[in-house]
């Protein structure tokens, strides 16, 4: 089964949790161990990516170690067309819709598409929308950050993504954000689209994760909590809070 089919099938039963691993933040060995712990805690998929990746080898080795240690799909979460790994199962073929720089909207994809094809990666078309505070990804992606209360703009971007044929929408507040996208924004965006809504950035505990799912998120992404203490316990609590 392909990764999109895996996501679609699982979503019929329950909201999902994805774990984001940044290859720059630990050794490939540690990334493999972390992925294993995340799988045991009940995460559904491992995303590999980060805003400051600068080595193809690091991405390759990280993906390979994760594949060695888990049976979960491994999906690239790229910032650019370089440093992709042919060892991953799929790639979020994502457009940063609210970037001021066309490079992040479509230009990188012109080269990226050919690499994705060559590597045999499954492309998962995704509209990526960066909301306040945006953090590093807003800076690197040159985002015209959507204000927390500008719900209409977020709705417009999400619906445009669906009308453009994208299969997923990701509302991103930025890794390490002090707060995620607001419940009101999530609710209104979810109401207007039919495709699955991913929410990430700043989710660090079970209460927040539960709230975001209640507001309408289909999938929760956490990254930063795996870098701290008691990650297994925290992940278990979050996953338990969102699963049906
Ligand atoms: C970043 O949304 C993800 O792209 C995860 O964010 O690191 O804040 O969990 P955190």
């Amino acid at each position: 089964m392909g990764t999109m089919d895996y996501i679609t099938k699982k979503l019929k039963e329950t909201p999902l949790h994805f774990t984001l691993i940044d290859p720059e933040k630990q050794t490939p060995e540690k990334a493999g161990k972390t992925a294993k712990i995340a799988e045991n805690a009940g995460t559904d998929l491992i995303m590999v990516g980060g805003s400051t990746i600068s080595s193809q080898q690091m991405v390759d080795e990280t993906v390979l170690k994760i594949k060695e240690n888990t049976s979960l799909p491994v999906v690239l979460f790229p910032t650019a067309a370089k440093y992709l790994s042919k060892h991953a199962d799929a790639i979020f073929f994502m457009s940063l819709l609210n970037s001021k720089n066309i490079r992040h909207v479509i230009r990188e994809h012109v080269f990226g598409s050919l690499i994705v094809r060559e590597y045999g990666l499954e492309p998962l078309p995704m509209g990526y929308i960066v909301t306040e505070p945006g953090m590093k990804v807003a800076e690197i992606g040159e985002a015209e950050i959507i204000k927390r209360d500008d719900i209409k703009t977020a709705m417009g971007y999400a619906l445009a993504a669906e009308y453009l044929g994208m299969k997923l929408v990701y509302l991103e507040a930025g890794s390490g954000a002090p707060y995620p996208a607001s419940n009101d924004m999530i609710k209104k965006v979810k109401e207007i689209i039919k495709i699955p809504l991913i929410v990430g950035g700043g989710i660090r505990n079970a209460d927040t994760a539960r709230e975001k799912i209640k507001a309408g998120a289909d999938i929760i992404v956490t990254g930063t909590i795996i870098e701290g203490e008691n990650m297994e316990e925290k992940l278990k609590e979050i996953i338990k809070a969102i699963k049906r």
Side-chain angles (χ1 to χ4, degrees), residues 20 77 128 170 172 174-177 200-204 221-224:
L20 174 64
F77 181 54
Y128 190 50
Y170 191 141
E172 170 75 90
S175 186
I203 300 172
R204 279 185 280 276
V221 178
T222 63
T224 303

Side-chain angles (χ1 to χ4, degrees), residues 1-187:
M1 191 191 317
T3 304
M4 193 65 220
D5 288 344
Y6 166 86
I7 294 170
T8 310
K9 190 165 171 247
K10 279 203 136 186
L11 274 177
K12 287 190 181 132
E13 290 149 28
T14 175
L16 304 184
H17 176 271
F18 294 174
T19 298
L20 174 64
I21 295 182
D22 184 342
E24 292 286 304
K25 295 203 170 149
Q26 70 280 286
T27 61
E29 285 71 23
K30 176 91 193 300
K33 283 185 191 143
T34 300
K36 189 170 191 172
I37 293 172
E39 183 175 30
N40 289 339
T43 200
D44 299 289
L45 180 148
I46 305 290
M47 292 164 57
V48 174
S51 304
T52 55
I53 292 176
S54 59
S55 153
Q56 163 96 50
Q57 196 188 344
M58 203 62 178
V59 180
D60 268 342
E61 286 176 10
T62 300
V63 169
L64 282 170
K65 279 289 169 198
I66 295 170
K67 300 272 327 162
E68 226 176 271
N69 281 279
T70 78
S71 58
L72 294 172
V74 178
V75 180
L76 302 176
F77 181 54
T79 17
K82 52 183 182 177
Y83 310 133
L84 303 183
S85 172
K86 58 172 176 279
H87 305 294
D89 297 292
I91 178 168
F92 285 123
F93 203 77
M94 52 204 264
S95 172
L96 205 178
L97 296 173
N98 59 319
S99 175
K100 286 175 274 197
N101 187 339
I102 193 169
R103 184 162 88 79
H104 304 291
V105 183
I106 184 63
R107 192 70 56 74
E108 281 291 322
H109 312 62
V110 175
F111 309 106
S113 62
L114 299 173
I115 301 170
V116 167
R117 186 180 158 88
E118 187 192 324
Y119 286 180
L121 297 168
E122 179 186 350
L124 311 177
M126 178 164 89
Y128 190 50
I129 305 167
V130 176
T131 66
E132 215 173 22
M135 313 304 281
K136 192 86 184 162
V137 70
E139 192 189 309
I140 289 175
E142 296 164 73
E144 205 166 56
I145 302 173
I146 299 175
K147 295 262 179 248
R148 218 168 143 67
D149 58 359
D150 189 3
I151 290 170
K152 203 166 172 193
T153 301
M155 290 165 71
Y157 271 118
L159 192 57
E162 181 173 306
Y163 286 175
L164 283 164
M166 291 164 177
K167 300 282 186 259
L168 300 156
V169 165
Y170 191 141
L171 268 187
E172 170 75 90
S175 186
Y179 47 83
S182 75
N183 295 343
D184 281 354
M185 186 181 278
I186 294 168
K187 182 169 184 287

